Amino acid sequence: MKNHHIIVFLFSFFLIMSLRGFVSCTDQETKVYVVYLGEHNGEKTLEEIEDHHCSFLQSVKGTTTSKEDVRASLVHSYKNVINGFSAVLMPQEVDMISGMEGVVSVFHSDPYEIRPHTTRSWDFVSLLEGTSLLNSREELLQNASYGKDIIVGVLDSGVWPESSSFNDEGMEPVPKSWNGICQEGVAFNASHCNRKLIGARYYIKGYEAAAGPLNETRDFRSPRDVDGHGTHTAGTVGGRRVANASAIGGFAKGTATGGAPNVRLAIYKVCWPVPDQSLAEGNACATDDILAAFDDAIADGVHVFSISLGSLPKSTYYTEDAIAIGSLHAVKKNIVIACSAGNDGPTPSTVGNVAPWVITVGASSIDRVFSSPIMLGNGMIVEGQTVTPIRRRRLHPLVYAGDVEIRGTTASNTTGACLPGTLSRNLVRGKVVLCRNSDIQASLEVKRAGGVATILGNRFNEIQVTPFLDPTTVVFSYSLNTLLTYIRTEKNPMATLVPGNTLIGSKPAPVMASFTSKGPNVVDPNILKPDITAPGFNILAAWSEASSPLYKPEDHRVVKYNIESGTSMSCPHVSAIIALLKSIHPDWSSAAVRSALMTTSTINNVVGRPIRNATGDDANPFEYGSGHFRPSRAVDPGLIYDATYTDYLLYLCSQNISLNSLFSCPEKVPTASNLNYPSLAIANMRGSIRTVTRVVTNVGKDNSTYVLAVRSPPGYAVDIVPKSLRFSKLGEKHSFNITIIRAQSSVERRNEFSFGWYTWSDGVHVVRSPIAVSSSA
C-alpha cells in the first residue's frame, strides 16, 4: 500500500516539474530527486515537517544559500503518509544527502501508473482495529451475513432509487418480519422498491401545514430525494458494493460500499426544502412528520434507526423533541437508534440528540487527502487540497483579495474574504486570487470578477473539500501566510494550480472534525455526550441526480456519487455496524449494543498517539465521547452495561419528567449519574465525595476475572470497589461502586470538567469507560 502512495507523489511531482521546466533546465546535471525518510511519528505539525525537510537542503546547499532559494528548490514536502520530500538537486548534493542520518534512500523521480483504491472510510476503520483488513472487516461482515436480515430505517430527505448502490442483485427475499409499504408518489412507484430498498414512505402534512403547499418544482411529492442528503446517508449505511465509483473529476475512485452491504433499507422522507430559500440553506423537517415516521417505522418492523437530523437541544428537550420522544418508544421495542451529534462545533455545549437511549455520534477524519499543490513563479510548491477538476495551466499573476477590492465594500474584519460583490473586475481579470476564506461563495466571487483560479485559506488542521465550479484549492493558515509573504515580496508574483490526486495513508488520523458538536450536554451534563466518533469527513457515497454537488443554481452538474462532510455522514457508519451487531447478537438489548461500541472504542490515532482536534490539541470526551469506534472489537466486548426501558423512565424521574402515565416515580429517585451508562459524568459536584453504582454483565467467556485500572481526572481521586470482578458463567452480573473524591486544589477549577477513565480487563478484553467530573463549590 505504501508503495502506491509513493507512486502517487512521484507522478504529481513529475507533472509539477514538467510545468516548471526543471526537467529541461540549462544545467543538465540538475534533476528532481525524492529523498525518502520513512514514516512520520505523528508528533510534528505540518509546518514543522516542512521546516525539517528544508533543513536537509540547507545543509547541502550551504549557509550562503538563502532560505528562499532553499524553499524554491523544494518541489514537494510529504507531510501526510510518507516522510520525505522531492527537490531539484545536483549529483554531489544527492551524494551528501544520501549519507545523512535518517535518510532511507534518494532516487530520481519518474512517473508511474496509479492504482485505484477503495472509497476508504471502511478500510480506515479496520486500521484502528489493530488487525488486518481481512481479519477484521471481512470477518465481521461474514459473521453477520452482511446484515441481510436486519432492517434499517432512515429518516431523512428520501432516496434516489436508481443508484447502483441500491441494486438488489443476488439478495434474498424480503424478511417476513417486514410490515411496511412502498408508498407511491410523483416519479416514484412500487417498482422502485426491491429487496434492498424494501420500503419507502413520505411525510409532508406537518410541513405543508406550517409552510404552505409544497413547491413541486423544487421537490417530489414522494419518497424520491432531490436534496441528496438522504441518498448519501442511506448509501453509507447499506449501499451495495459498486466498483469504480468516484466523485466528480475521478476523486476517491474505488469500490463504494455501505457498512452493511446486504442490510435492508426502509426510507422515511421527513425533510423538505425551506420555502423561499435555496437548497444550500438546508431542509425543514417538521416535528410532527418525524413522529409520524417513527410511529410507522416501529410498526413496520425496523431493527435500527439511522437519524442524521437534529437541532440544538432546549430545556424542554425530553418533552418536545420528536427524535428524543420517538426514539424512546423505539427503545421499548428494543430498536437501536443512532443519531448525529450536530455540526455546530467547535463551540462547547452544542451537542444534540442527547437522550441516553440513543447513540450520539460525532465526526472525525479518515486517512485520505486530496492533494492539489500550488506552484509559484519562483518554483516554490505550496500544498493545497481540492476535489475540483483542474486542467494544467500556465502561470498567472497572483493577487491577494484585499488588494483588489472595490473601495468601500469591506471593513477591516472582512477584507480579503472575497465576499460577494467586493472584488474589482478590472483588478482581478485573468489572475489567481488568494482569499482569507474557505467558503463556496469566495470561489464564486472570484469567478464573477473574472479570476482564473482561487486559493482559499483554512484555519483548521483538516480541509473539508468541495467540488468547486472553477479551479480552486484550499490551503492551511500557515500556507496562506506563506503566500501572502510571497505576494508582498515578489515583484511579479505568479501561480498556477496543479491537478489534484487522491492520497491514502495521511497521518495522524483520525482528527476530530472542526464542525462536530461538542459537550457538555446542556440538557443534563450528568450524561456524557457525544457517545462515540466515526468517519464523517470527506465521505463518498451515493447522491441524488436531481441535485448538483454544490446545491447552487450556477451548478448544473449531475453526479452519481458525491463527497460530503458532517455528523450526518458519521451517524450512518455507526448505524451500519449496529445492524451487523444485531445480526450476530439478536438477543442483545439496545443498551448492550451501545455499550459494546463505546467500551471497545479507542482514543488513539493510527500512530498510537491521542486523537487530536482540528486545532491540533488533544481531543477529549466532549468531542469523541468514548473514542473512535472499532466494529470488530465490539462483537466481543467482554462486559456490557445494560439498561432497560424502565431504567430510562427512572432516569427521567431524576429530571422531574414523566413520559409514561403507567409508570410512577419512586419516592427515592436515583441520581442521573447512577443510570447504568458506559461512561460516567458527574456535573457540579457538591461536597467532597460522590458515590455512584454500575452493573456489568458478562458476555465474554465463562470463568473469567476482570481486573481494574483507573486514571483519575486531575483534581480528583477515583476509588472503585471491588478491584476485581470474577464471573463463573455467561450472563452473570456484578455491581461495583465508584467513589469520586475531590482534592482541595480542584476548588480553583470549579465548573470546569476534568477527564479520566477506568477499565476492566481479563487479559483478552479491555472494557474502557471515560470519566468527566466538575465541581460547583
Side-chain angles (χ1 to χ4, degrees):
M1 183 176 290
K2 291 174 183 174
N3 288 338
H4 293 311
H5 305 330
I6 296 172
I7 290 169
V8 170
F9 278 113
L10 291 175
F11 184 66
S12 62
F13 295 157
F14 179 81
L15 291 176
I16 296 168
M17 290 304 101
S18 297
L19 284 169
R20 289 176 59 180
F22 272 118
V23 174
S24 58
C25 61
T26 56
D27 185 350
Q28 295 301 313
E29 290 187 329
T30 302
K31 295 181 180 179
V32 180
Y33 289 86
V34 174
V35 180
Y36 176 52
L37 305 174
E39 295 186 352
H40 295 292
N41 58 19
E43 296 178 353
K44 290 186 174 69
T45 66
L46 299 180
E47 189 172 9
E48 289 170 341
I49 291 169
E50 186 167 315
D51 288 342
H52 177 61
H53 293 165
C54 285
S55 70
F56 285 90
L57 296 175
Q58 190 75 66
S59 296
V60 299
K61 293 184 179 296
T63 56
T64 58
T65 305
S66 69
K67 290 184 178 180
E68 290 73 20
D69 288 338
V70 167
R71 288 194 177 272
S73 69
L74 182 69
V75 177
H76 207 116
S77 176
Y78 307 160
K79 303 185 185 73
N80 299 304
V81 187
I82 302 163
N83 188 3
F85 58 93
S86 68
V88 180
L89 298 170
M90 294 186 293
Q92 60 268 34
E93 293 172 336
V94 173
D95 292 340
M96 292 172 65
I97 289 182
S98 297
M100 290 183 176
E101 183 179 354
V103 175
V104 177
S105 61
V106 182
F107 48 93
H108 177 226
S109 174
D110 286 320
Y112 292 93
E113 290 294 326
I114 303 173
R115 179 180 176 183
H117 293 274
T118 68
T119 57
R120 192 57 189 172
S121 61
W122 292 109
D123 283 350
F124 173 71
V125 168
S126 293
L127 286 179
L128 290 173
E129 302 278 4
T131 57
S132 70
L133 300 184
L134 179 63
N135 290 335
S136 58
R137 168 81 178 141
E138 200 60 37
E139 183 178 346
L140 171 59
L141 287 169
Q142 291 174 2
N143 289 342
S145 300
Y146 297 82
K148 69 181 180 67
D149 294 324
I150 303 300
I151 303 165
V152 178
V154 182
L155 273 63
D156 215 298
S157 63
V159 69
W160 191 261
E162 290 85 0
S163 172
S164 297
S165 290
F166 307 124
N167 81 83
D168 66 350
E169 183 178 352
M171 293 189 69
E172 296 180 10
V174 174
K176 293 181 179 179
S177 63
W178 174 242
N179 301 313
I181 64 171
C182 188
Q183 185 179 6
E184 297 190 347
V186 177
F188 198 99
N189 56 50
S191 68
H192 287 116
C193 291
N194 56 24
R195 288 170 292 179
K196 161 58 69 176
L197 290 175
I198 63 172
R201 299 175 184 262
Y202 68 95
Y203 301 84
I204 196 170
K205 292 180 180 179
Y207 168 84
E208 290 193 317
L214 174 70
N215 181 346
E216 299 200 24
T217 67
R218 302 186 64 209
D219 205 342
F220 298 100
R221 188 181 291 273
S222 75
R224 182 173 289 279
D225 180 22
V226 165
D227 182 85
H229 188 275
T231 301
H232 198 284
T233 57
T236 302
V237 174
R240 304 298 300 281
R241 289 176 169 171
V242 179
N244 298 316
S246 67
I248 193 167
F251 289 96
K253 187 176 183 179
T255 300
T257 181
N262 282 2
V263 80
R264 314 308 176 110
L265 295 172
I267 305 302
Y268 299 87
K269 182 177 177 179
V270 295
C271 299
W272 306 86
V274 178
D276 302 321
Q277 294 186 18
S278 70
L279 284 175
E281 301 301 321
N283 279 344
C285 314
T287 294
D288 50 342
D289 288 340
I290 291 173
L291 284 174
F294 265 109
D295 192 44
D296 281 340
I298 293 169
D300 288 345
V302 303
H303 303 107
V304 179
F305 276 112
S306 186
I307 303 176
S308 292
L309 312 172
S311 61
L312 290 173
K314 301 176 183 178
S315 59
T316 54
Y317 169 75
Y318 286 119
T319 56
E320 296 181 5
D321 186 272
I323 297 173
I325 295 168
S327 59
L328 182 60
H329 285 271
V331 165
K332 189 175 183 181
K333 300 292 186 181
N334 206 28
I335 300 169
V336 191
I337 305 98
C339 294
S340 50
N343 299 335
D344 295 300
T347 305
S349 302
T350 52
V351 62
N353 290 318
V354 294
W357 47 85
V358 306
I359 302 173
T360 311
V361 187
S364 44
S365 68
I366 61 175
D367 63 342
R368 178 177 62 196
V369 296
F370 303 95
S371 176
S372 174
I374 302 156
M375 189 184 74
L376 303 181
N378 65 358
M380 184 187 297
I381 301 297
V382 177
E383 182 59 32
Q385 293 185 34
T386 194
V387 290
T388 305
I390 296 174
R391 293 177 295 177
R392 286 187 242 174
R393 294 171 177 263
R394 59 181 177 82
L395 291 166
H396 290 274
L398 173 64
V399 295
Y400 169 54
D403 299 331
V404 292
E405 292 170 343
I406 300 170
R407 183 174 299 180
T409 60
T410 62
S412 59
N413 63 337
T414 60
T415 185
C418 296
L419 298 179
T422 62
L423 298 182
S424 166
R425 289 181 181 271
N426 293 334
L427 299 177
V428 169
R429 189 177 294 111
K431 296 180 176 65
V432 178
V433 181
L434 175 65
C435 306
R436 288 185 178 274
N437 187 0
S438 58
D439 187 74
I440 294 172
Q441 288 298 140
S443 178
L444 293 175
E445 172 62 10
V446 172
K447 177 188 178 183
R448 182 202 63 78
V452 296
T454 308
I455 303 170
L456 303 178
N458 177 73
R459 63 191 179 97
F460 296 110
N461 283 355
E462 294 287 327
I463 292 176
Q464 182 177 332
V465 295
T466 301
F468 297 101
L469 285 169
D470 295 280
T472 303
T473 194
V474 184
V475 300
F476 295 105
S477 59
Y478 66 83
S479 295
L480 185 144
N481 293 331
T482 298
L483 291 167
L484 273 174
T485 300
Y486 169 71
I487 291 171
R488 295 285 182 251
T489 58
E490 190 76 13
K491 185 176 180 180
N492 295 304
M494 305 285 282
T496 189
L497 309 188
V498 177
N501 284 312
T502 303
L503 307 180
I504 303 298
S506 172
K507 295 178 183 178
V511 172
M512 295 307 301
S514 62
F515 54 75
T516 191
S517 290
K518 296 171 62 175
N521 175 349
V522 295
V523 176
D524 180 9
N526 294 293
I527 299 297
L528 201 163
K529 290 288 181 172
D531 293 312
I532 206 163
T533 188
F537 198 82
N538 296 336
I539 303 301
L540 180 76
W543 196 247
S544 168
E545 293 184 40
S547 176
S548 70
L550 293 182
Y551 295 120
K552 295 289 184 181
E554 303 94 327
D555 189 4
H556 303 291
R557 297 171 296 181
V558 175
V559 297
K560 296 180 183 296
Y561 292 85
N562 196 26
I563 293 174
E564 285 285 290
S565 295
T567 54
S568 285
M569 284 64 248
S570 57
C571 171
H573 276 82
V574 172
S575 306
I577 300 308
I578 292 170
L580 299 181
L581 292 176
K582 289 280 285 184
S583 181
I584 295 172
H585 299 290
D587 57 330
W588 276 10
S589 69
S590 172
V593 172
R594 177 182 57 240
S595 176
L597 286 166
M598 291 174 64
T599 61
T600 58
S601 63
T602 180
I603 60 172
N604 292 327
N605 57 33
V606 293
V607 297
R609 303 283 295 175
I611 294 173
R612 294 176 180 172
N613 59 28
T615 57
D617 299 318
D618 287 352
N620 64 51
F622 285 160
E623 294 167 282
Y624 53 56
S626 293
H628 193 287
F629 80 151
R630 295 190 289 184
S632 295
R633 294 181 184 239
V635 173
D636 182 22
L639 304 175
I640 57 168
Y641 294 83
D642 212 348
T644 65
Y645 174 71
T646 300
D647 291 325
Y648 297 131
L649 295 182
L650 279 170
Y651 164 76
L652 288 173
C653 290
S654 75
Q655 307 298 299
N656 296 314
I657 292 171
S658 175
L659 294 181
N660 187 327
S661 60
L662 300 179
F663 180 84
S664 298
C665 292
E667 289 186 13
K668 187 175 181 180
V669 176
T671 64
S673 297
N674 270 294
L675 177 65
N676 200 39
Y677 213 68
S679 58
L680 172 61
I682 297 178
N684 304 315
M685 177 175 160
R686 296 180 179 274
S688 58
I689 297 178
R690 174 76 68 84
T691 298
V692 299
T693 301
R694 289 291 188 269
V695 178
V696 287
T697 304
N698 180 27
V699 295
K701 56 184 179 179
D702 297 332
N703 299 315
S704 56
T705 300
Y706 285 79
V707 178
L708 176 70
V710 177
R711 176 173 290 179
S712 298
Y716 302 85
V718 177
D719 182 36
I720 298 180
V721 178
K723 310 295 183 189
S724 64
L725 303 172
R726 178 166 180 77
F727 298 89
S728 60
K729 60 183 180 180
L730 291 175
E732 187 176 350
K733 299 177 183 292
H734 279 303
S735 65
F736 56 93
N737 292 327
I738 307 171
T739 299
I740 308 294
I741 305 167
R742 185 176 66 181
Q744 188 62 35
S745 59
S746 67
V747 174
E748 301 173 0
R749 305 178 57 184
R750 66 173 166 255
N751 298 322
E752 291 184 16
F753 277 89
S754 289
F755 304 102
W757 49 259
Y758 68 93
T759 63
W760 294 104
S761 178
D762 64 350
V764 176
H765 309 92
V766 178
V767 187
R768 184 184 177 283
S769 294
I771 302 172
V773 186
S774 72
S775 298
S776 60

